[in-house]
Amino acid sequence: MAQPVLAQPVLTISRLAKRFGPVQALGEVDFTLEQGEIHALLGVNGAGKSTFIKILSGVYTKDEGTIEIDGRSVDFRSPRDAIAHGVAAVQQHPELVGDLTGYENIFLGMEGERRGFWSRIDRASMRRRADALLARFPVEIDLSRRVASLSVVEREIVAILQALSRENIRVLILDEPTSTLTEVEKDVLFRLMAHLRASGISIIYITHRLEEVMEIVDRLTVFRGGRRITTMSVEAARAEGVTLAELMLGETLDHVYPPRREDAGAGEVVFSVEGLRLPGVLDNIRFDVRRGEIVGVFGLVGSGLDELSKVLFGAVGPAEGRMRLGGREIAPRTPREALANGIFLVPGDRRTEGLTLSQASVFNMTLANLGKASGLAGLLRRGRNRRASAELAEKVTLHPPLLDRAVSDFSGGNQQKIVVAKGLFAGADLYIFVEPTVGVDIGARSRLYGLMRDLAESAAVIVMSSDCDEVHGLSDRTFALYKGRQIGQPSADITRGRLLAAGIMGSLH
């Protein structure tokens, strides 16, 4: 239920603008945030959301416009400035130190009661302050455990408590906090968000999971092309029957998934797996992928989905069993051997496994095929690589299409597009997509799905995901993994309900 609001908004932004060279990232954006509300910020990748929150959290400086906190004009030159004025952000991938405990992470940089050179680490004080935080924002978590041992939602909670460790915080920015959470973990986070709202903290909530908007949000604002398109309450959106996806896109979205093949399973076998075993993880996996089709594998956390993808890519193993690609028996022992054999993996964790974040887009897109990217004496073909990267950026709808920009500066959805572009440049015979649309907006999802369908015409394509709707909607034939066991053979006839049951309970019935 929406909270009563005060006459004076906590945050008022007027005519905010930001430009990166020739690209107008934000243009004259107006925005208000009331006390004790959860306000969703929606838009496709490249709509301006990331630039907006980076200005608001002090990472970028604005070119034009005004920012007011409680009616007083402020100017942020750094994240420290933003925090000093009561604005804190939790990024999509919180930077926590795995070897430190939860409370040590919360007070990182504030380990002692006193500040300055002679300040000492006072763990007893940190524990007391952590207990005081938990008294303000009650949540079940053991902050004495190392962060590396915590679940995904527990790490998210640590990051939120870290942001709220300064008592002056009035505005909390949450960027895609549920992108990697299960439904149970999402409920834990939503209960915390509701408590924060009740305590008077205002939340700006960025998400691509549109079903969550109607569940937890009070108001929503839609960005498109660097401009604010509309702001409305959730009640008004419901009453008017607003389709959020179409509002974000500015066009009707008739078909998210491309049409399936009518003759699924009839083409020649391009890739096959027989009796694949990884002791304690995978048992007797056997399936094939035929030209022109997409084979989907559904599985939850702990199903062996991630391990299967890495066995096929030579990153985990050795495994027992046989693999054949294009009529050849293969046994890749490393990712390098897998690439040499024509296998490309779009990993589930793009930041640590798919990208070199400090390097530019053009570097990342051409990294997986250095033979193609370089010429005599191993020198990079910079002009040719740049032209190829520009074409790939257009194909995957990278926005803004800045080839020299560090990948770390792009939104999560755009980072995913760069990984896909990297795979296209590699020119593989087998593409394995793991959680391919995490953090990707609905419009970009549709385009990526179309791209996968196009790839299937000339290569084998496997999609592995914990999103049952995605696997069932996109794939020609599907099966599930449950605790390392394959449930059923790839089938075009399995219903969504049976596929879901197979992945959750280990049975098709």
Side-chain angles (χ1 to χ4, degrees):
M1 180 180 296
Q3 302 295 305
V5 296
L6 303 178
Q8 176 68 60
V10 172
L11 173 69
T12 304
I13 294 176
S14 302
R15 302 179 68 83
L16 194 68
K18 180 68 177 179
R19 178 180 289 275
F20 295 100
V23 178
Q24 185 76 48
L26 283 180
E28 299 187 347
V29 170
D30 296 332
F31 181 85
T32 61
L33 181 67
E34 308 291 352
Q35 181 177 335
E37 79 162 337
I38 300 176
H39 194 132
L41 201 61
L42 307 176
V44 300
N45 298 126
K49 306 186 305 298
S50 294
T51 301
F52 179 82
I53 64 173
K54 284 180 178 179
I55 292 173
L56 188 54
S57 57
V59 177
Y60 293 160
T61 56
K62 59 183 172 61
D63 292 341
E64 300 174 22
T66 60
I67 302 174
E68 295 180 358
I69 303 288
D70 293 326
R72 299 178 60 183
S73 181
V74 295
D75 196 15
F76 302 153
R77 295 290 174 181
S78 68
R80 179 175 293 182
D81 285 347
I83 290 170
H85 285 92
V87 180
V90 178
Q91 302 300 332
Q92 184 176 357
H93 302 281
E95 300 293 341
L96 300 174
V97 182
D99 288 335
L100 298 183
T101 63
Y103 68 82
E104 287 170 332
N105 270 275
I106 290 171
F107 298 108
L108 202 61
M110 303 182 295
E111 291 86 351
E113 293 282 9
R114 295 190 306 168
R115 296 183 181 275
F117 182 78
W118 299 108
S119 177
R120 66 184 180 87
I121 295 175
D122 189 340
R123 288 185 171 80
S125 170
M126 283 192 281
R127 287 192 181 94
R128 287 194 299 272
R129 286 183 283 163
D131 289 341
L133 263 181
L134 290 179
R136 287 176 62 200
F137 312 114
V139 65
E140 292 184 9
I141 185 171
D142 182 359
L143 295 177
S144 66
R145 290 172 56 196
R146 292 171 58 249
V147 161
S149 70
L150 298 178
S151 67
V152 177
V153 70
E154 287 174 327
R155 291 196 291 270
E156 189 74 34
I157 288 169
V158 168
I160 291 174
L161 293 176
Q162 183 185 63
L164 297 172
S165 59
R166 281 85 167 177
E167 293 186 0
N168 68 314
I169 299 302
R170 306 277 306 285
V171 176
L172 180 65
I173 301 169
L174 299 180
D175 187 6
E176 293 283 354
T178 64
S179 61
T180 57
L181 301 186
T182 65
E183 286 299 312
V184 173
E185 290 173 328
K186 185 189 75 173
D187 290 341
V188 172
L189 180 63
F190 279 5
R191 286 197 296 272
L192 176 57
M193 290 171 62
H195 186 86
L196 295 178
R197 173 173 58 188
S199 68
I201 291 175
S202 304
I203 298 174
I204 298 177
Y205 179 55
I206 296 92
T207 183
H208 287 308
R209 293 185 169 185
L210 301 184
E211 68 279 5
E212 296 175 355
V213 174
M214 299 300 184
E215 185 176 350
I216 188 68
V217 166
D218 299 309
R219 288 195 300 159
L220 61 92
T221 290
V222 176
F223 277 28
R224 193 192 311 144
R227 298 184 180 275
R228 183 183 68 87
I229 299 304
T230 189
T231 296
M232 66 176 64
S233 69
V234 166
E235 287 84 353
R238 283 199 189 99
E240 296 173 21
V242 169
T243 303
L244 296 180
E246 294 180 0
L247 196 60
M248 290 161 55
L249 289 167
E251 59 183 317
T252 301
L253 189 62
D254 296 321
H255 302 288
V256 176
Y257 301 109
R260 296 181 181 182
R261 289 183 63 97
E262 295 182 0
D263 58 345
E268 64 172 310
V269 174
V270 178
F271 177 70
S272 63
V273 173
E274 296 178 15
L276 195 66
R277 289 182 176 86
L278 188 64
V281 181
L282 299 170
D283 183 41
N284 195 26
I285 307 298
R286 49 195 310 125
F287 65 93
D288 59 40
V289 188
R290 298 170 182 271
R291 191 175 308 281
E293 72 171 356
I294 296 175
V295 169
V297 189
F298 168 60
L300 302 179
V301 175
S303 66
L305 205 68
D306 189 58
E307 291 83 356
L308 175 58
S309 71
K310 288 174 180 173
V311 167
L312 301 183
F313 193 56
V316 169
E320 303 170 9
R322 300 174 62 189
M323 291 191 291
R324 297 180 66 84
L325 179 61
R328 299 174 291 114
E329 187 159 336
I330 60 172
R333 293 166 295 179
T334 65
R336 175 179 289 184
E337 288 186 12
L339 287 169
N341 278 292
I343 302 174
F344 187 85
L345 171 67
V346 177
D349 186 349
R350 56 181 170 254
R351 291 175 63 85
T352 59
E353 299 174 347
L355 294 167
T356 305
L357 294 173
S358 61
Q359 294 291 337
S361 308
V362 62
F363 175 88
N364 276 274
M365 289 183 190
T366 57
L367 185 59
N369 194 334
L370 292 178
K372 182 178 176 181
S374 58
L376 295 175
L379 297 176
L380 291 176
R381 297 167 167 168
R382 297 187 183 278
R384 183 182 297 182
N385 292 345
R386 192 172 187 82
R387 289 190 297 273
S389 297
E391 292 175 3
L392 290 171
E394 183 177 0
K395 183 172 288 189
V396 300
T397 64
L398 181 67
H399 187 78
L402 301 176
L403 300 182
D404 296 319
R405 187 175 180 178
V407 170
S408 59
D409 289 339
F410 283 94
S411 66
N414 276 312
Q415 289 176 359
Q416 186 74 345
K417 294 176 185 177
I418 292 170
V419 180
V420 173
K422 177 181 172 183
L424 296 178
F425 186 84
D429 298 313
L430 169 64
Y431 287 92
I432 306 166
F433 293 87
V434 182
E435 307 289 3
T437 58
V438 169
V440 178
D441 66 77
I442 188 69
R445 283 186 189 188
S446 181
R447 286 185 283 272
L448 285 177
Y449 293 151
L451 206 55
M452 293 179 206
R453 177 58 65 189
D454 291 342
L455 282 174
E457 294 303 317
S458 58
V461 175
I462 303 172
V463 174
M464 302 183 182
S465 177
S466 58
D467 184 338
C468 186
D469 289 333
E470 180 170 75
V471 171
H472 189 262
L474 176 63
S475 309
D476 299 294
R477 293 189 296 147
T478 60
F479 67 92
L481 281 185
Y482 177 78
K483 295 183 179 180
R485 293 187 295 111
Q486 180 175 339
I487 309 301
Q489 280 296 302
S491 170
D493 299 324
I494 185 170
T495 65
R496 178 193 176 280
R498 291 180 68 205
L499 183 65
L500 186 64
I504 292 177
M505 297 182 292
S507 172
L508 285 168
H509 305 292

